[in-house]
Amino acid sequence: MSAITETLQDSRKIVIKVGSNVMSTPDGHIDREAVGSIVEQINVMVNDGKQIIVVSSGAGAFGAGAINKLVRRKDVHYYQALCAIGQVEMMMAYKEFFGRNGTHVAQLLLTRDDFANEDRTLHIRNTLFTLIDEGIVPIINENDTVSVDEIKSIGDNDTLGAFTAQLWNADCYIILSDIDGVFDKNPKDHDDAELIEEVYDIDGLLQEIDISGKSSFGTGGIHTKIEAARHLGVYGIPTLLLNGETKDVILKARSGEVSGTGFFFND
Ligand code: ADP
């Protein structure tokens, strides 16, 4: 059994981060099917006794779709406005899909700074634990109105997800992106890129791979994902990078049908 499969089978408390590429089509429109597919997988896991927190990007694409405007990420204020519009649309989609199974969702808009403040961290923690106790799925996104880190391509949701996994003491952190995992070079630019399935040494990995180039709608690229994994490694929490565009990817990874990149840490 692969280390990824074993981690997914053994984990009870799981944080799942869904990337903007997964939530939107290549032309920047929303992908409702993707939301539906993620929710279905979460339902299966919840029925198996797992507890899930979602960290979801994609508000910008939902906003652009809602008012039928193009995504103009370079114009930061305009993009913040799109995110404010799209956050509602995105939550409506999650509510609709989770609602089919009778599950309630809750929205938490956070910033990286919130995790640097002791009082705020305590409030976040208490709210999360209460929601989970009530069987509700918390859906976290960066508060794009007060922070522009995610918009300005720093990939803050990767980081927010890692902070959340740390705060909640999750058993594992899953990042769903539009690639199968970390490759030795960008798979979008190189057909012969090779997937790295298990990482135990992040500095060693960074020396071996080329992480240049990135997709048009994604933020942060692969680097913030690797740094998120490094952050959680300190707490012994594994990070799994899987392709959110592969149907049922988490369930398939759990049964060993598909692979990804797992970041593991020797105690
Ligand atoms: P998301 O929106 O899902 O957070 P990002 O676009 O921020 O995703 O980051 C993932 C992207 O990183 C991939 O689509 C890929 O183009 C790029 N990338 C660059 N180098 C690598 C590499 N060595 N391995 C995997 N992906 C890479």
Side-chain angles (χ1 to χ4, degrees):
M1 191 191 295
S2 78
I4 292 181
T5 299
E6 204 175 331
T7 302
L8 285 170
Q9 291 186 1
D10 291 350
S11 297
R12 198 171 80 90
K13 296 165 71 177
I14 303 173
V15 175
I16 302 174
K17 186 258 172 175
V18 190
S20 48
N21 288 323
V22 178
M23 298 291 282
S24 52
T25 57
D27 60 354
H29 289 99
I30 56 159
D31 190 346
R32 273 176 55 87
E33 258 180 53
V35 183
S37 156
I38 287 153
V39 171
E40 271 174 39
Q41 295 181 70
I42 292 174
N43 283 338
V44 171
M45 289 190 275
V46 168
N47 289 339
D48 287 347
K50 315 269 187 200
Q51 297 177 328
I52 310 284
I53 294 176
V54 178
V55 178
S56 186
S57 304
F62 274 89
I67 61 168
N68 203 18
K69 292 269 169 74
L70 282 174
V71 179
R72 287 190 288 162
R73 191 180 279 274
K74 281 189 189 124
D75 180 346
V76 171
H77 300 312
Y78 191 82
Y79 199 79
Q80 282 177 290
L82 283 183
C83 290
I85 298 163
Q87 180 64 25
V88 181
E89 304 287 325
M90 188 168 86
M91 288 308 296
M92 277 168 65
Y94 276 117
K95 182 174 155 54
E96 179 190 329
F97 285 109
F98 272 112
R100 290 181 187 174
N101 202 42
T103 306
H104 290 283
V105 292
Q107 168 185 277
L108 284 79
L109 296 177
L110 305 175
T111 68
R112 176 196 283 253
D113 291 346
D114 292 330
F115 287 88
N117 177 302
E118 228 174 87
D119 284 341
R120 289 183 184 196
T121 308
L122 186 65
H123 292 311
I124 297 166
R125 197 186 149 85
N126 289 341
T127 307
L128 280 175
F129 275 88
T130 307
L131 288 168
I132 297 285
D133 279 352
E134 290 296 323
I136 288 155
V137 177
I139 299 179
I140 297 174
N141 192 8
E142 179 165 75
N143 188 342
D144 296 304
T145 307
V146 298
S147 168
V148 292
D149 290 341
E150 171 78 4
I151 292 173
K152 283 164 69 188
S153 299
I154 303 172
D156 244 37
N157 269 344
D158 294 327
T159 313
L160 272 192
F163 288 173
T164 303
Q166 175 197 344
L167 184 74
W168 188 41
N169 198 16
D171 297 316
C172 86
Y173 177 37
I174 301 174
I175 300 180
L176 297 180
S177 187
D178 65 342
I179 22 118
D180 289 343
V182 179
F183 288 76
D184 59 347
K185 50 196 163 200
N186 191 345
K188 298 258 178 75
D189 302 332
H190 304 274
D191 290 342
D192 62 340
E194 281 180 32
L195 179 67
I196 298 163
E197 295 189 32
E198 292 181 17
V199 177
Y200 293 89
D201 168 14
I202 287 180
D203 288 328
L205 173 83
L206 287 173
Q207 278 173 8
E208 277 169 31
I209 65 168
D210 173 9
I211 56 171
S212 57
K214 73 178 200 67
S215 57
S216 44
F217 296 105
T219 53
I222 204 72
H223 191 242
T224 51
K225 294 166 184 41
I226 296 172
E227 290 307 323
R230 188 205 295 277
H231 177 82
L232 285 181
V234 175
Y235 305 93
I237 301 171
T239 296
L240 310 180
L241 178 54
L242 302 175
N243 193 335
E245 292 182 344
T246 303
K247 193 171 170 12
D248 293 336
V249 70
I250 303 174
L251 306 179
K252 283 182 181 156
R254 194 173 69 167
S255 61
E257 274 173 77
V258 300
S259 194
T261 298
F263 297 84
F264 306 102
F265 306 91
N266 302 316
D267 317 293

